[in-house]
Amino acid sequence: MLEVLERGERLQLMKFVCSFAWADLEVQPEERAFVASLIKRLSLDPDEAGQVETWLRLPPRPESIDPSQIPAEHRRLFLAEVRGVIEADGIVGEDERENLRLLEQLIP
């Protein structure tokens, strides 16, 4: 399913994933590994991967994350990958759980 995403959609997905990795204010090694795996699965080019690395060092600005901009046909995919990153370290904190719940409500 990831192969249907266009360049902008791939980066949008990664921005969401990275923002959720930061939900508890710290990106865990397991979350970084999940992101690295997703970079490979998406076949991101070096520039795209570099942008993602930037988001892992400094979270995306909150105003740049707009759930209404997720294409309807990709909402389940985005939710699955966001869920994957928050579960990657085996600990789903209350902030992560609440942010996921909110995202699920915003993109039914």
Side-chain angles (χ1 to χ4, degrees):
M1 184 71 174
L2 294 173
E3 61 278 351
V4 302
L5 297 176
E6 296 178 10
R7 182 181 197 270
E9 294 167 338
R10 290 191 309 262
L11 287 175
Q12 182 185 32
L13 170 61
M14 294 307 301
K15 187 183 288 190
F16 270 86
V17 167
C18 290
S19 71
F20 274 82
W22 277 100
D24 58 0
L25 304 178
E26 186 177 351
V27 180
Q28 300 299 321
E30 298 88 350
E31 293 166 331
R32 287 183 185 280
F34 180 89
V35 170
S37 170
L38 189 53
I39 287 171
K40 288 180 184 174
R41 290 188 293 139
L42 287 168
S43 301
L44 297 186
D45 68 32
D47 289 338
E48 294 167 327
Q51 178 61 64
V52 174
E53 289 299 325
T54 298
W55 291 326
L56 287 177
R57 285 190 303 276
L58 186 67
R61 294 184 336 265
E63 64 271 11
S64 73
I65 307 296
D66 184 357
S68 70
Q69 298 300 311
I70 298 172
E73 65 272 19
H74 301 315
R75 289 177 179 167
R76 286 187 180 174
L77 172 64
F78 274 55
L79 283 172
E81 298 303 334
V82 164
R83 191 173 291 111
V85 77
I86 67 171
E87 294 175 349
D89 64 356
I91 302 168
V92 180
E94 187 54 38
D95 289 338
E96 292 170 317
R97 191 179 352 267
E98 182 59 32
N99 287 339
L100 179 60
R101 200 173 10 247
L102 181 60
L103 181 61
E104 290 170 333
Q105 290 172 357
L106 292 172
I107 59 167

